[in-house]
Amino acid sequence: MVNCNWKATFRFITHSPKSFFQRRCIPPSRNPTFLPSASTSEFLCLGQRVFPFFNSLSNRVDITEGCIGMPSAVLRKCYGSTAGLVQRNPKYSTLNDEDVSYFEGILGKKNVIQDEERLVAANTDWMHKYKGSSKLLLQPRSTHEVSQILKYCNSRCLAVVPQGGNTGLVGGSVPVFDEVIISLSSMNNIVSFDKVSGILVCEAGCILENIITFLDNEGFIMPLDLGAKGSCQIGGNVSTNAGGLRLVRYGSLHGNVLGLEAVLANGTVIDMLKTVLKDNTGYDLKHLFIGSEGSLGIVTKVSILTPPKLSSVNVAFLACKDYIICCWTDQNCFNTCDVLMELKRLEGKLLQEAKRKLGEILSAFEFLDIQSMNLVLNHLEGTRNPLPTMHNFYVLIETTGSDEAFDKQKLEAFLLHAMENELISDGVLAQDINQSSSFWHLREGIPEALMRAGAVYKYDLSIPVDKLYNLVEEMRTRLGNVANVVGYGHLGDGNLHLNISAPQYDDKILSQIEPYVYEWTSKHRGSISAEHGLGLMKANEILYSQSRETVQLMASIKNLMDPHKILNPYKVLPHSFSS
Amino acid sequence: MKIMVAIKRVVDYAVKIRVKPDKTGVETQNVKMSMNPFCEIALEEALRIKESGFASEVVAVSMGPSQCVDTLRTGLAMGADRGIHVDSTATLFPLSVAKLLKALVEVEKPTLLILGKQAIDDDCNQTGQMIAGLLNWPQGTFASKVIVDKEKQVATVDREIDDGIETLSLDLPAVITTDLRLNQPRYATLPNIMKAKSKPIKKYTPQDLKVEIKSDLEIIQVTEPPKRKAGVMVSSVDELINKLKNEANVI
Ligand SMILES: Cc1cc2nc3c(=O)[nH]c(=O)nc-3n(C[C@H](O)[C@H](O)[C@H](O)COP(=O)(O)OP(=O)(O)OC[C@H]3O[C@@H](n4cnc5c(N)ncnc54)[C@H](O)[C@@H]3O)c2cc1C
């Protein structure tokens, strides 16, 4: 009897690390009840004002609003972004039965999906903020099939949206109107892996976490890791040039992607699947596909340089009194106020010090504020504050190296120094992998906690590190108590995730946020999209971060590569440039 | 009152275990090692008893190679007052560990000895019971709740058994082994990690404790569990029924 008992318990404990990992990522099929009350807010919003809406007659979408509305008969949208008004471009054909038969001919019936339920999922983005009304989802299994689909769509002028794991946060991965969805999910094979060079070649639909597991068995890691790893695909990551949690160590995908294969709008397959590190033969066109969000072609294969897995990983979760201490740089001395002057005496600054003292082993430097921490603790089960009391700021530092004793000593010396200089007020150092995972979960769980808290306005900004948190504070002042303003992000990369959480989407809140956030960012020469891309949400805002001439050149490139503009229309470039 | 806690250094329980190619055991080279989770719970319980004023000192003991000192440092950072390291490179089976613990109990004279119910590497689940037998102390194994009455010198232990909860009352001194749901261990905070650096760790060898390490067990072979075969996707209900009928022979 007793024996059975411990067996049961033991099963529980051996399974828990797995559930931790699962908690660290997005479940592949999300339970709708976990999603915020989008549907309620949709209708609330509907009741408030009457806007020109999209239906079969007007084909218009108003995206100046705070949410999506979809009453049964009429599809009408209002997004949490002042992206402006988009109309369905009448030059695109409407899908007919012949088209469907044609696709069935090349893909087989099974891979041409018209099932309502599956279409609802593919039409709706992760945040439940953007919703298209596509009637067709295609699941090609090979580059050749992708090529055939595009060739046909191009000839018919049928607009398409490439879709990976559909975890994008800017409304780029779902149709705006009735674009045909091309999902890469069935192209999920590892093509080759070279154990000597660490070069991996795989199809675009491989889920990031599966690649991570595959590499782990081979003794390598992905240079890219992010909270959505359980669902997002490498093709989607490349197409959004995802940054994530390890960029501070391994750099961006522009450096790690060695080559790729892509299909152009007219079906031409471009083979740039290089597996060499150096290749200076003409224009390096693969870069056009990295971060262009499916607007220039569909990425079908990727070749990526993966670093060897190092045995020693340490994670520290630290508390700071003040943001300024997290990142402090010398300019701050002039932001006078007695406290800051006092801080001026501190010789160290946590981020600078970490870069200097942990240099070669630093692999992540993330931050969250007390508001983010409260959200996670309130909305995610099984989370607890690792520290005895609450603090205004938290920093998660990860080191990765090859010598456990050496790394630990180095990290402890750094932390001791930081404590002595009052750069940190408290902290914990993970003693095992389970503890590391639970510290990571606090940081990676924020987007999910925000989703559960209600409506959320997300901004992903690059801002000089020393000014980065000023924006959060200004927004807090601007919005008062109508919304909860939270700040977290990849501090090591100067990347702020400014999130404004409210019970429901509301025009008044939105008008307090936009365009102020964009103007502020532009004024500080930051970027209005550090890593999430522009998608639909920010297509019209690109000029805050790029010059008119640059955008003009982008539009010319788009015109050259996709003259009928069938690839992911209404996204990335301003509508005035692309029509 | 003094509490002694045994803590074992094991392959971290989030690490995927690999069997050595020669099948003599599991790979421990270049693998992350951590404190056995049940031992962490044991230590946490000892610390809580101390914090409620029923004990004055918590002594953590670890046995094995020199790196056990790292595990002890973690224990000291969690709050143990002192550490004892029994240095041995030989494989230690439960009976040897129990004999070594008995020798240490004779030196330290604790009132309570707390251990994890089992270590997640060999899953023996024997040491607590053996040491209780050797010392002739009462034992409360698989504890899910512990209450110490200092006046009466009694520990009340709840145990989760198949039929419900069994409550035992143990006269001190006693041995307790901990189950998973007893508590949630604390993290090692930086100030405590720093403080732990100056806490004493005393080193013994089995010879010092007059225990002869001999293995009463011989491991013949260690193998991985058979791999699960990959599933197949069926495309229709008919196909499923056909497979259940003709391949699985279950309907
Ligand atoms: C919880 C959470 C955490 C996140 N954390 C981060 C983070 O730390 N850093 C970060 O950068 N991002 C983050 N993101 C957003 C990030 O952009 C996506 O998670 C990911 O990179 C997109 O991959 P996907 O496969 O889901 O692509 P999708 O969402 O399906 O698509 C994204 C865009 O790429 C296009 N696309 C997709 N696949 C292809 C393809 N094969 N060829 C051409 N175009 C394609 C789509 O049309 C769309 O425009 C996070 C998202 C979530 C939900």
Side-chain angles (χ1 to χ4, degrees), chain B residues 154-175:
Chain B
V154 162
T156 310
V157 173
D158 281 1
R159 321 172 62 228
E160 284 177 20
I161 57 172
D162 285 357
D163 305 338
I165 304 277
E166 181 182 77
T167 305
L168 301 178
S169 179
L170 312 175
D171 288 334
L172 298 179
V175 174

Side-chain angles (χ1 to χ4, degrees), chain A residues 26 30 126 161-169 171-174 184 204-205 224-228 231-245 289 292-295 297-300 443-444 447-448 460 490 495 497 531-533 535 568 571-572:
Chain A
I26 314 291
R30 223 166 288 100
W126 188 81
V161 48
Q163 190 173 79
N166 198 10
T167 67
L169 298 174
S173 53
V174 291
L184 278 294
L224 169 79
D225 187 10
L226 49 95
S231 302
C232 67
Q233 301 174 1
I234 189 67
N237 298 145
V238 168
S239 302
T240 55
N241 187 23
L245 307 163
F289 296 89
S292 54
E293 303 176 59
S295 64
I298 296 191
V299 176
T300 45
R443 164 63 188 83
E444 288 183 281
E448 199 170 338
D460 156 43
H490 315 295
N495 183 182
H497 290 318
E531 55 175 20
H532 294 165
N568 226 358
K571 322 250 176 84
V572 188

